[in-house]
Amino acid sequence: MCTNALLHGCLRDRLFRVETSLTGNALRVAVTDPRGERLPHPHTPVADDQFGRGLLIVRTLANRWAAEKLTVGKTVWAEMGMPGGLDA
């Protein structure tokens, strides 16, 4: 998600933000960047594509993920379940 923010979401002199949070049963990672005109979506790359697999990896590893349009920019987030949770 950070690589996508760098490649597709950055504008000159504008930063992107990474936030993480941990609950009893999930790790949530959210990346916010200033470009919200297009929300990302996974696609199937062909074998010799250099890019285009990041969201496929996120979709495979995450229990849930989404992209949300903001007033300025967008946030892409993913939640990964914690086996046994923190209380195990």
Side-chain angles (χ1 to χ4, degrees):
M1 291 186 309
C2 290
T3 302
N4 281 354
L6 284 170
L7 291 175
H8 307 294
C10 282
L11 297 171
R12 186 180 175 128
D13 298 327
R14 298 290 303 270
L15 302 175
F16 71 94
R17 181 176 66 228
V18 178
E19 297 175 274
T20 60
S21 59
L22 187 61
T23 65
N25 59 2
L27 169 67
R28 180 181 171 106
V29 178
V31 179
T32 302
D33 67 57
R35 295 190 82 174
E37 14 341 305
R38 288 187 323 180
L39 295 180
H41 61 281
H43 67 281
T44 304
V46 295
D48 60 347
D49 279 349
Q50 184 176 1
F51 301 104
R53 293 172 180 81
L55 286 176
L56 294 175
I57 294 169
V58 169
R59 187 172 64 180
T60 299
L61 296 176
N63 298 88
R64 299 182 328 139
W65 78 276
E68 301 170 350
K69 198 167 196 165
L70 305 173
T71 303
V72 175
K74 67 182 170 297
T75 296
V76 180
W77 59 267
E79 290 181 352
M80 283 72 60
M82 304 283 293
L86 294 178
D87 302 327

